Amino acid sequence: MCDLKQDFPPLVNDTLLRAARGDDVERIPVWVMRQAGRYLPEFRALRAEHNFFKICQTPELVAEVTLQPIRRYDLDAAIIFSDILVVPQALGMVVEMKPGVGPVLPEPLSSPSDIEKLKFPVDVKEKLGYVFEGITLTRHKLEGKVPLIGFSGAPWTLMCYMIEGGGSKTMSKAKNWLYQHPNSSHELLKILTDVTVDYLVEQVIAGAQLLQVFESNAEYLAREQFEEFSIPYFKTISEQVKKQLEKRGVESVPMTIFAKGAHHSLKKLGNIGFDIVGLDWTMIPNEARNQVGPHITLQGNLDPCALYGSKEAIKKLTHEMLSAFGKSRYIANLGHGIYPDVDPEHLKVFIDTIHEYKWST
Ligand code: 1CP
C-alpha cells in the first residue's frame, strides 16, 4: 500500500466537528445514517455490477460510493461505505449479502463451544486493511470538503448476527445465550470488543475524523441486560480507543454512541466516555437532554418514515425537530438509517430545510 496518509487536504467544512465539541456553529450540521446506499439510483447501478462485499473490499469503489451522496446533497459529513459485518468476517465467519434478504451467515454460532472456531486474535491490519485503505483514499478524494466518519457495530449487535445467522424479529437465539450462557456471552462480547477497539483505532489512523458505534439491537434488551451486556463494553471501547490513540501519538476524535431503543439508559449513555449520543425517533429531545447532561452533543432523530410524507410535511416535521433540539450541541440526522424506497428528492428537502432554518435570537 502506498502511504497516502500524509498531507490530507485541509478541512473546509468543520461544522460537524465543532458541534461535536460543543463549539458555536453558524448552521446545524447534518448527515444521514446509511446515506450511501440503496435509495440512490447511482448506488444501485454500481451494485448491479458488483457483489456487496466486493465493493467494501475495493478502495476505489468504497470512495466512489461514499462520495455519491456528497455530490448530490449539501451534507456536512461523509460516512465510509462498509458494513458492520466485516468484523465477523475478520473473525473467520462467512457472511453473504443476499439481494432482497440482507445479510446471511450460513454457519452461525449455535452453541458456546463454537466460540473456539473464531479466528481470534485478529490482526485487523491484515484482515480489514481494505477498510483502512478505503478510508485513506476517500479522505483524499473528499478534498477536505467535509469530515469522514468511521464506524463499527457494537459487540451485542454483532453477537446477534453471529448467533441468529442474519436479521431476526426477536433476537431470541442471541438472547437465549444471555440467560443460558452468561459467561460465554461475556467471553464472546469481550472478543468482539477487543477487535472493535483495534478496528476503530486503525480507522482513525487511516483518516477517520469521527467514529460512530452502532448498537442497533439495543432495543431488544431490558435495562438489566443492557447494563450487563452492552454498557460495560461501550465504556471499554471509548476508553481503550482514546488510550491506544494516545499511545500511538495520534489525536483522538469525537465518538458517537447510537443505541437504538435504549430509553432506559440515556443517563448512563451520557457518562461512558462518548461525546455524542444518537437518538432514535421514539426518543424525546428535551427528555434526552435532561438525562444525558449538558456536556454531550445529541444527534438525530426524525422518523425515517417521515421522508415518505409530502415535501411540506417534511419541512414542518424538520422545523419541529430543530426547535426541539435547539442550536447548541446538536447534529441533525434521522432516527435510524434511511430506507431504500425513499425518494432521494425528499432527503434533499430534509437536508436543505435544516440548513435554511432561521433561528430566532
Ligand atoms: O452510508 C452509510 O451509512 C454507510 C454504509 C453502511 C452502514 C453504516 C452500510 C451499507 N451498512 C451500515 C451499518 C449497518 N449494517 C448496521 C448498523 C446501522 C443500522 O442499524 O442500520 C446494521 C445493523 C447492518 C447490517 C445490515 N447490512 C443490514 C440490516 C439487516 C437487518 O437486520 O435488518 C443490511 C440490510 C445490510 C446490507 C447493507 N449494508 C449497507 C448497504 C448499502 C446494504 C445493502 C446491501 C445491498 O446492496 O444489497
Side-chain angles (χ1 to χ4, degrees):
M1 178 188 157
C2 61
D3 193 5
L4 288 161
K5 285 173 205 159
Q6 306 307 317
D7 301 326
F8 285 133
L11 186 57
V12 179
N13 174 357
D14 66 347
T15 327
L16 179 93
L17 300 183
R18 279 189 283 134
R21 289 192 301 257
D23 296 344
D24 282 345
V25 288
E26 55 288 343
R27 65 177 204 176
I28 295 295
V30 53
W31 71 279
V32 172
M33 290 187 274
R34 314 290 293 265
Q35 68 189 24
R38 290 173 301 173
Y39 72 103
L40 285 179
E42 54 269 40
F43 172 78
R44 286 202 295 266
L46 195 133
R47 176 76 173 89
E49 285 176 39
H50 306 275
N51 170 286
F52 177 78
F53 286 111
K54 187 76 202 159
I55 302 178
C56 297
Q57 289 158 8
T58 311
E60 288 72 22
L61 295 177
V62 166
E64 169 57 25
V65 178
T66 304
L67 284 167
Q68 284 175 346
I70 305 301
R71 291 190 194 113
R72 222 184 227 263
Y73 305 112
D74 186 17
L75 287 159
D76 295 289
I79 178 162
I80 196 68
F81 187 81
S82 185
D83 195 80
I84 62 168
L85 298 172
V86 299
V87 165
Q89 282 180 332
L91 282 159
M93 294 188 77
V94 175
V95 185
E96 293 157 6
M97 204 52 83
K98 296 241 160 98
V101 178
V104 174
L105 293 79
E107 294 159 55
L109 307 180
S110 57
S111 73
S113 61
D114 285 345
I115 294 175
E116 280 163 37
K117 293 189 194 160
L118 297 174
K119 299 199 174 86
F120 181 77
V122 175
D123 178 345
V124 293
K125 283 183 95 167
E126 187 203 322
K127 295 281 193 240
L128 295 166
Y130 59 85
V131 177
F132 313 135
E133 285 181 43
I135 287 174
T136 303
L137 183 64
T138 305
R139 265 297 291 274
H140 282 283
K141 293 213 166 170
L142 271 168
E143 295 173 337
K145 206 168 172 226
V146 289
L148 180 60
I149 301 172
F151 72 91
S152 75
W156 157 247
T157 294
L158 294 175
M159 171 176 167
C160 287
Y161 282 99
M162 291 162 75
I163 293 173
E164 301 284 343
S168 156
K169 284 210 170 84
T170 58
M171 301 299 157
S172 55
K173 291 187 185 126
K175 288 182 71 180
N176 181 303
W177 278 48
L178 305 184
Y179 290 99
Q180 287 260 355
H181 314 293
N183 293 339
S184 302
S185 296
H186 281 298
E187 189 190 343
L188 178 57
L189 290 164
K190 196 178 168 318
I191 288 172
L192 289 165
T193 300
D194 284 356
V195 186
T196 300
V197 167
D198 291 351
Y199 181 45
L200 291 173
V201 165
E202 290 299 334
Q203 289 190 45
V204 175
I205 290 169
Q209 291 155 292
L210 186 148
L211 296 171
Q212 174 151 324
V213 176
F214 286 93
E215 186 74 294
S216 306
N217 293 346
E219 62 189 335
Y220 296 93
L221 300 179
R223 187 176 71 198
E224 292 73 16
Q225 277 82 48
F226 188 67
E227 285 181 358
E228 180 175 353
F229 297 103
S230 190
I231 295 240
Y233 299 102
F234 293 165
K235 254 184 146 162
T236 308
I237 289 169
S238 67
E239 282 167 14
Q240 286 300 317
V241 166
K242 287 178 186 179
K243 204 163 151 190
Q244 288 199 23
L245 284 170
E246 198 182 325
K247 240 196 218 161
R248 307 269 293 263
V250 178
E251 210 181 316
S252 73
V253 301
M255 292 179 71
T256 305
I257 184 71
F258 173 67
K260 184 164 179 284
H263 287 260
H264 41 64
S265 298
L266 283 170
K267 193 168 184 175
K268 288 229 160 87
L269 291 177
N271 237 331
I272 46 161
F274 280 80
D275 310 280
I276 302 151
V277 172
L279 305 184
D280 71 51
W281 70 94
T282 67
M283 293 167 170
I284 296 166
N286 66 337
E287 287 180 10
R289 169 59 69 206
N290 290 339
Q291 294 286 314
V292 301
H295 60 294
I296 292 286
T297 292
L298 291 175
Q299 176 175 281
N301 75 341
L302 189 74
D303 181 357
C305 290
L307 299 185
Y308 294 139
S310 69
K311 292 183 179 176
E312 280 317 305
I314 294 168
K315 276 188 198 166
K316 180 171 172 284
L317 291 167
T318 305
H319 286 159
E320 285 168 11
M321 174 188 82
L322 293 167
S323 72
F325 278 99
K327 200 178 176 198
S328 74
R329 280 209 173 272
Y330 175 51
I331 296 167
N333 206 313
L334 297 177
H336 197 197
I338 184 167
Y339 293 130
D341 56 350
V342 161
D343 179 346
E345 279 305 303
H346 283 207
L347 179 59
K348 185 172 181 335
V349 173
F350 176 63
I351 293 165
D352 291 346
T353 302
I354 292 160
H355 286 149
E356 285 158 12
Y357 191 69
K358 299 273 177 288
W359 293 91
S360 49
T361 42

